Amino acid sequence: MVYPCQSPIPGSPHGLIYLACENLLVVVVAACQVRTKPQSVLLAKPPTQSPVPDRQSVLRGLKQNSKFLLPEDLKEKEGNLLESERPTRILTKTTHSQVESQALGKIAAASTNKMTEKHQGTKTLLEKFNEMNWLLDIRPLNKSLVQDHKWEKTDAMQEKRRSFLQEFCKKYGGAGRYHSHLFHTVARIYVEDKHKILYCEVPKAGCSNWKRILMVLSGLASSAYNISHDAVHYGKYLKKLDSFDLKGIYTRLNTYTKAVFVRDPMERLVSAFRDKFEHPNSYYHPVFGKAIIKKYRPNACEEALNNGSGVKFKEFVHYLLDSHRPVGMDIHWEKVSKLCYPCLINYDFVGKFETLEEDANYFLQLIGAPKDLKFPNFKDRHSSDERTNAQVVRQYLKDLSRTERQLIYDFYYLDYLMFNYTTPFL
């Protein structure tokens, strides 16, 4: 069904329209105000339940509960964030060349076109699954195996993260009905049956070493340090939740300890770009690199068009923000909200890359892992490269315009909100 373009919600950052699409949160950049005549946008019918949040309502709702700790920069700059300008007004203030400005304008405007996903679940499957009870209440972690008091601070932070995410999802997640393909929703979740663990893979947030840990826990390896990168990612030793039947999926979702580890969205994006495009890569260069260079680099040389090497971060960002990408999305820079569906699946443990070792080792205590098993701290690939941190990210962002930086933030807006990450300097 076709619905006309809606006006931006007052108070939403930079004129974003927020819609609940099949109970999944979808962000659409509003360009209604720049059209000369009405157009229509193909969107799922907005549900009658709680509206998807604008930033003002989120901040007010979460601040009312003293359990939730908002980042300091949100407290201090809340007024500026809530009264920020809309994309079309920003575009008129930038100092891009005419060609680049036109390209960015097309990217912003194109984002208003069709953004619904095609889910292929059968009616019977959805009807069966809708009969199952999906509770939003947090299941208390079993802490009986944790004897050491040194984890008290980590545990307190963990409870705050879980409560913050739960509060967000209760208000805005729309988990009353399930209108997504079940097997697609759990496709990124790895299963370790011996210790009853479900781990949702978020690339560039420590996932390689987490897979090593799962292999050790399941008895496939004696040490995480003896498992190669290829064995981790291409060996297919680990089971995924979507490989089980409906009963097996539902049973594990309701009885296993579910964990997700996330990372600052901007750091994760830069880390993915460095890994895939700044080093030789037999897949990402010919598949993504060639398409990106062809569409976003005027007068590209024949060599670059043929091998796809040398993609610039600015070109990569143009690809990311383009709803008509020449090649599809990839899990390494896909939003966590669309990889792990944290408002549909109640994660018992929310770890962060910024405190990865501490969080991971505490989690291993919780699930009763062998005492000598510690989370590995080595860099999986390109070990001589500096780790992607806030300082490295700033070096990449300085080559982008304010408009481009803002659009990246808007793209990952839900991830910033759900996991209470500090708003980046734009």
Side-chain angles (χ1 to χ4, degrees), residues 406-425:
Q406 180 65 56
L407 289 174
I408 295 173
Y409 171 69
D410 293 344
F411 184 85
Y412 289 109
Y413 176 66
L414 288 177
D415 285 0
Y416 274 103
L417 274 187
M418 285 181 175
F419 302 107
N420 203 19
Y421 273 110
T422 302
T423 306
F425 174 73

Side-chain angles (χ1 to χ4, degrees), residues 394-405:
R394 281 194 290 270
Q395 294 301 311
Y396 282 79
L397 294 184
K398 73 178 184 180
D399 294 329
L400 303 180
S401 68
R402 181 175 181 270
T403 300
E404 291 163 332
R405 295 194 297 269

Side-chain angles (χ1 to χ4, degrees), residues 1-3 6 19-23 42-48 116 177:
M1 186 175 294
V2 176
Y3 291 85
Q6 303 180 17
L19 299 170
C21 177
E22 300 181 345
N23 286 329
L42 186 63
L43 294 169
K45 184 176 182 179
T48 56
T116 56
R177 293 181 299 164

Side-chain angles (χ1 to χ4, degrees), residues 31 57 60 135 150 166 188 211 238 241 247-248 259 269 304 306 342 346-347 354 375 395 415:
S57 63
R60 288 176 178 171
L135 299 177
K150 74 175 184 178
Q166 180 201 29
R188 305 311 317 168
K211 290 180 186 178
L238 298 171
L241 192 53
K247 181 179 179 181
L269 177 67
N306 288 336
N346 285 328
Y347 288 96
E354 292 76 13
F375 192 82
Q395 294 301 311
D415 285 0

